[in-house]
Coordinates of all heavy atoms in Angstrom, one line a residue:
Chain B
A1141 N 43.3 -6.6 50.2 CA 43.5 -5.2 49.8 C 44.2 -4.5 50.9 O 45.1 -3.7 50.6 CB 42.1 -4.6 49.5
L1142 N 43.9 -4.7 52.1 CA 44.6 -4.1 53.2 C 46.0 -4.5 53.3 O 47.0 -3.7 53.4 CB 43.9 -4.4 54.6 CG 44.5 -3.7 55.8 CD1 44.5 -2.2 55.7 CD2 43.8 -4.2 57.1
L1143 N 46.3 -5.9 53.2 CA 47.6 -6.4 53.3 C 48.5 -5.8 52.3 O 49.7 -5.5 52.5 CB 47.6 -7.9 53.2 CG 47.2 -8.6 54.5 CD1 46.9 -10.1 54.3 CD2 48.2 -8.4 55.7
E1144 N 48.0 -5.6 51.0 CA 48.8 -5.0 50.0 C 49.4 -3.7 50.4 O 50.5 -3.4 50.0 CB 47.8 -4.7 48.8 CG 48.1 -5.4 47.5 CD 47.1 -5.1 46.5 OE1 46.9 -4.0 46.1 OE2 46.4 -6.1 46.1
S1145 N 48.6 -2.9 51.1 CA 49.1 -1.6 51.5 C 49.9 -1.6 52.8 O 50.7 -0.6 53.0 CB 47.9 -0.6 51.6 OG 47.4 -0.2 50.4
V1146 N 49.7 -2.5 53.7 CA 50.3 -2.4 55.1 C 51.2 -3.5 55.5 O 51.8 -3.5 56.6 CB 49.2 -2.2 56.1 CG1 48.2 -1.2 55.7 CG2 48.5 -3.5 56.4
S1147 N 51.4 -4.6 54.6 CA 52.1 -5.7 55.1 C 53.5 -5.5 55.5 O 54.1 -6.1 56.5 CB 52.0 -6.9 54.1 OG 52.6 -6.5 52.9
D1148 N 54.2 -4.5 54.9 CA 55.5 -4.1 55.3 C 55.7 -3.6 56.7 O 56.8 -3.6 57.2 CB 56.1 -3.0 54.3 CG 56.3 -3.5 52.9 OD1 56.2 -4.7 52.7 OD2 56.6 -2.6 52.1
W1149 N 54.5 -3.2 57.3 CA 54.6 -2.5 58.6 C 54.2 -3.5 59.7 O 54.2 -3.1 60.9 CB 53.6 -1.4 58.6 CG 53.7 -0.4 57.5 CD1 54.9 -0.1 56.8 CD2 52.7 0.5 57.0 NE1 54.7 0.9 55.8 CE2 53.3 1.3 56.0 CE3 51.4 0.7 57.3 CZ2 52.6 2.2 55.2 CZ3 50.7 1.7 56.6 CH2 51.3 2.4 55.5
L1150 N 53.9 -4.7 59.4 CA 53.4 -5.7 60.4 C 54.6 -6.4 61.1 O 55.6 -6.8 60.4 CB 52.5 -6.7 59.8 CG 51.3 -6.2 59.1 CD1 50.5 -7.2 58.4 CD2 50.4 -5.4 60.1
G1151 N 54.5 -6.6 62.4 CA 55.5 -7.4 63.1 C 55.0 -8.8 63.3 O 54.1 -9.2 62.5
D1152 N 55.5 -9.6 64.2 CA 55.1 -11.0 64.4 C 53.7 -11.1 65.1 O 52.9 -11.9 64.7 CB 56.2 -11.7 65.2 CG 57.5 -11.8 64.4 OD1 57.4 -11.7 63.1 OD2 58.6 -11.8 65.0
G1153 N 53.6 -10.3 66.1 CA 52.3 -10.4 66.9 C 51.2 -9.6 66.1 O 51.4 -9.0 65.1
P1154 N 50.0 -9.6 66.7 CA 48.9 -8.8 66.0 C 49.1 -7.3 66.2 O 49.5 -6.8 67.2 CB 47.7 -9.3 66.8 CG 48.1 -9.9 68.1 CD 49.5 -10.3 67.9
T1155 N 49.0 -6.6 65.1 CA 49.1 -5.2 65.0 C 47.6 -4.5 65.0 O 46.9 -4.9 64.1 CB 49.9 -4.7 63.8 OG1 51.2 -5.2 63.9 CG2 50.0 -3.2 63.8
P1156 N 47.3 -3.6 65.9 CA 46.0 -3.0 65.8 C 45.9 -2.1 64.6 O 46.8 -1.4 64.3 CB 45.9 -2.1 67.1 CG 47.0 -2.7 68.0 CD 48.1 -3.2 67.1
V1157 N 44.7 -2.3 63.9 CA 44.5 -1.5 62.7 C 43.1 -0.8 63.0 O 42.1 -1.4 63.3 CB 44.3 -2.3 61.4 CG1 43.9 -1.4 60.3 CG2 45.6 -3.1 61.2
V1158 N 43.1 0.6 63.0 CA 41.9 1.3 63.3 C 41.4 2.0 62.0 O 42.2 2.8 61.4 CB 42.1 2.4 64.4 CG1 40.8 3.2 64.6 CG2 42.5 1.7 65.7
A1159 N 40.2 1.6 61.6 CA 39.8 2.1 60.2 C 38.5 2.8 60.3 O 37.6 2.5 61.2 CB 39.6 0.9 59.3
C1160 N 38.3 3.8 59.5 CA 37.0 4.5 59.4 C 36.5 4.6 58.0 O 37.3 4.3 57.1 CB 37.2 6.0 59.9 SG 38.1 7.1 58.9
G1161 N 35.3 4.9 57.8 CA 34.7 5.1 56.4 C 33.8 3.9 56.0 O 33.4 3.1 56.7
M1162 N 33.6 3.9 54.7 CA 32.7 3.0 54.0 C 33.0 1.5 54.2 O 32.3 0.6 53.9 CB 32.4 3.4 52.6 CG 31.7 4.7 52.4 SD 30.0 4.8 53.3 CE 29.0 3.9 52.1
V1163 N 34.3 1.3 54.6 CA 34.7 -0.1 54.9 C 33.7 -0.7 55.9 O 33.5 -1.9 55.9 CB 36.2 -0.1 55.5 CG1 36.3 0.7 56.8 CG2 36.7 -1.5 55.7
G1164 N 33.0 0.1 56.7 CA 32.1 -0.4 57.7 C 30.6 -0.4 57.3 O 29.7 -0.6 58.0

Side-chain angles (χ1 to χ4, degrees):
Chain B
L1142 179 62
L1143 283 170
E1144 240 177 64
S1145 284
V1146 310
S1147 58
D1148 288 353
W1149 307 335
L1150 298 175
D1152 296 331
T1155 300
V1157 176
V1158 176
C1160 70
M1162 294 301 282
V1163 62

